[in-house]
Amino acid sequence: MVLTYNFTNCDFTKIKEDYEKLIVGDFQTYINGTKSTQSSNYIFCSNQSDCLAKIESLTFGTHAGCGSLSKEMFACRTKATFAHRCPDYPRVKVNNTQAMKKRKKREDTAKECLKHVLRLQGLWRRFTRAP
Amino acid sequence: ESGYAQNGDLEDAEPDDYSFSCYSQLEVNGPQHTLTCAFDDPDVNSTNLDFEICKNLVGVECLHLSKLQDRYFLRTKKFLLVGDSKICVKLGDKKITCKNINIVEIVKPEAPFDVKVMYHEEAKEFVVTFNTSHSQKSYLTIKDLIHDVAYRQEKDEDNWMHKNLSNTKLTLLQRKLQPDAMYEIKVRSIPTDYFKGFWSEWSPSYHFRTSESKGEWMD
């Protein structure tokens, strides 16, 4: 059974700031660097902690056809934000020493990953507006 | 004489003050950020002393700053920008003094540029415009800056007037200025809100002359 961290006690205001001031820019850089266009269906999240749980799962999970996004800059920053704004966010999950991936993806992988990144963007936007 | 002999033994002389200050600049060269540190005391004996930054870096534990004359400098893409990093002065492997610093709280923006002043006859006003490289950046964007526009009559050496604004356009009413006078104007920027830090350098100055035309002028 995989224990999912409970994001209820996080500093949502600070996380929102980190997203709007830093992580938004990382997503833009990632998308600009992906030479393909892609649409994506969005994932719903009901409140801020639910959004963060789904963001964590999508950011650090592995995805068929894409592999892992966890070495991208937006992922490194998401992890750092959780570590700094969420009490007792599991240290084991915070390992900044993973080298940032040099992104030479094949076209089909890039497309598949872009789908997930667009979903992530949707979840973050939902988080910034969620009650 | 400084507090450390060459072989690292403490001497009786008053110990040197190794306090230091740093500033960062974000996305100076594409995605690369810079960190610049210097000792507060310019006369400190910095032989064999190094600077190192650790924590909240991407993919590495620590990074070393290179010495350039009296400064120590690092150019990198590896700042996480969330949370404190630890900057230390080191003598070999020995940490002399350290500080916890958040890179986004010691930011020095790049200087504004392209300052221009246009006179609008019908409205009897001078429109000041300028540009900033931060309009192209991902993090410290134009929304995260406040600008200080300083202007003076050239013959009034120290009588600078200041206007703080958050966009890159300012209107000066003709009647608030002296007629037939040469003015100098310049701009600088400082981070605001999420980002904190220091004033940028001043932009290059722009010089303009007010017209002689009658009409209501400042008395």
Side-chain angles (χ1 to χ4, degrees):
Chain A
M1 184 185 79
V2 176
L3 270 180
T4 314
Y5 175 80
N6 182 341
F7 287 89
T8 312
N9 297 320
C10 298
D11 184 336
F12 296 134
T13 306
K14 286 281 188 209
I15 292 175
K16 184 167 180 254
E17 279 184 340
D18 292 341
Y19 166 71
E20 287 171 344
K21 296 298 179 184
L22 299 175
I23 298 173
V24 161
D26 298 330
F27 278 130
Q28 209 46 57
T29 303
Y30 180 93
I31 290 167
N32 295 345
T34 305
K35 304 283 180 291
S36 65
T37 54
Q38 179 66 287
S39 63
S40 183
N41 56 329
Y42 288 99
I43 301 172
F44 173 76
C45 53
S46 55
N47 57 47
Q48 287 181 307
S49 44
D50 180 38
C51 290
L52 293 183
K54 287 173 174 158
I55 285 167
E56 183 198 41
S57 158
L58 194 51
T59 304
F60 303 113
T62 50
H63 313 286
C66 165
S68 169
L69 296 166
S70 63
K71 289 187 179 167
E72 301 298 344
M73 183 55 96
F74 62 77
C76 297
R77 235 166 234 136
T78 299
K79 189 179 295 178
T81 293
F82 288 167
H84 283 89
R85 316 299 188 192
C86 298
D88 310 323
Y89 186 73
R91 286 287 123 201
V92 71
K93 296 196 174 191
V94 184
N95 172 3
N96 293 333
T97 51
Q98 276 182 298
M100 203 168 69
K101 184 189 289 182
K102 290 268 181 307
R103 287 197 317 96
K104 284 271 175 304
K105 281 190 191 307
R106 289 193 341 263
E107 188 54 40
D108 48 356
T109 310
K111 252 191 168 169
E112 196 55 34
C113 286
L114 183 58
K115 221 167 34 176
H116 295 293
V117 171
L118 294 174
R119 283 191 190 125
L120 263 177
Q121 269 194 319
L123 280 169
W124 273 108
R125 285 197 195 110
R126 175 80 191 138
F127 164 77
T128 60
R129 295 191 304 261
Chain B
E1 245 305 279
S2 75
Y4 275 90
Q6 288 309 311
N7 53 18
D9 295 338
L10 265 177
E11 281 185 5
D12 303 336
E14 205 193 299
D16 260 318
D17 168 14
Y18 292 104
S19 61
F20 62 91
S21 304
C22 303
Y23 68 83
S24 61
Q25 294 200 294
L26 304 182
E27 298 175 284
V28 178
N29 195 349
Q32 290 204 314
H33 317 300
T34 66
L35 176 66
T36 304
C37 297
F39 290 107
D40 296 335
D41 173 5
D43 300 328
V44 77
N45 176 6
S46 61
T47 313
N48 302 325
L49 293 182
D50 279 320
F51 273 79
E52 180 185 65
I53 179 171
C54 300
K55 277 179 68 182
N56 284 313
L57 302 171
V58 178
V60 291
E61 198 51 45
C62 299
L63 288 168
H64 178 82
L65 280 72
S66 318
K67 189 170 183 185
L68 297 172
Q69 287 106 35
D70 60 348
R71 297 175 170 264
Y72 292 78
F73 183 75
L74 168 65
R75 185 190 299 273
T76 183
K77 289 189 264 191
K78 296 183 186 295
F79 291 151
L80 263 176
L81 303 178
V82 178
D84 284 356
S85 292
K86 190 170 186 178
I87 300 179
C88 294
V89 175
K90 294 182 76 176
L91 178 65
D93 288 336
K94 183 179 178 186
K95 287 177 178 167
I96 306 295
T97 180
C98 296
K99 271 200 242 192
N100 285 323
I101 292 180
N102 188 335
I103 295 291
V104 298
E105 292 180 0
I106 54 165
V107 182
K108 178 179 180 179
E110 288 170 57
F113 59 94
D114 241 0
V115 181
K116 291 194 182 92
V117 178
M118 300 284 289
Y119 179 57
H120 287 207
E121 179 83 34
E122 330 71 51
K124 294 213 179 321
E125 60 189 21
F126 292 86
V127 177
V128 181
T129 57
F130 57 91
N131 205 338
T132 167
S133 56
H134 289 274
S135 50
Q136 318 291 324
K137 298 191 190 292
S138 303
Y139 305 130
L140 186 65
T141 68
I142 204 161
K143 291 179 293 179
D144 302 308
L145 293 171
I146 284 184
H147 312 288
D148 169 18
V149 178
Y151 59 99
R152 68 171 178 182
Q153 247 190 282
E154 284 196 350
K155 67 180 177 64
D156 279 356
E157 200 60 39
D158 293 322
N159 187 18
W160 288 99
M161 287 156 281
H162 290 262
K163 298 264 190 204
N164 275 359
L165 49 149
S166 52
N167 54 22
T168 57
K169 183 176 176 182
L170 169 68
T171 300
L172 297 175
L173 300 179
Q174 174 178 274
R175 59 184 169 77
K176 296 276 184 175
L177 303 176
Q178 292 298 321
D180 192 22
M182 268 309 286
Y183 276 83
E184 176 186 2
I185 191 164
K186 58 185 181 180
V187 190
R188 61 181 177 170
S189 309
I190 195 169
T192 181
D193 188 22
Y194 182 85
F195 299 94
K196 298 177 180 51
F198 314 102
W199 284 108
S200 70
E201 299 302 322
W202 287 104
S203 71
S205 286
Y206 184 90
H207 301 265
F208 65 100
R209 173 177 290 277
T210 54
S211 56
E212 294 169 25
S213 69
K214 300 294 168 286
E216 355 81 43
W217 281 90
M218 199 163 80
D219 31 26

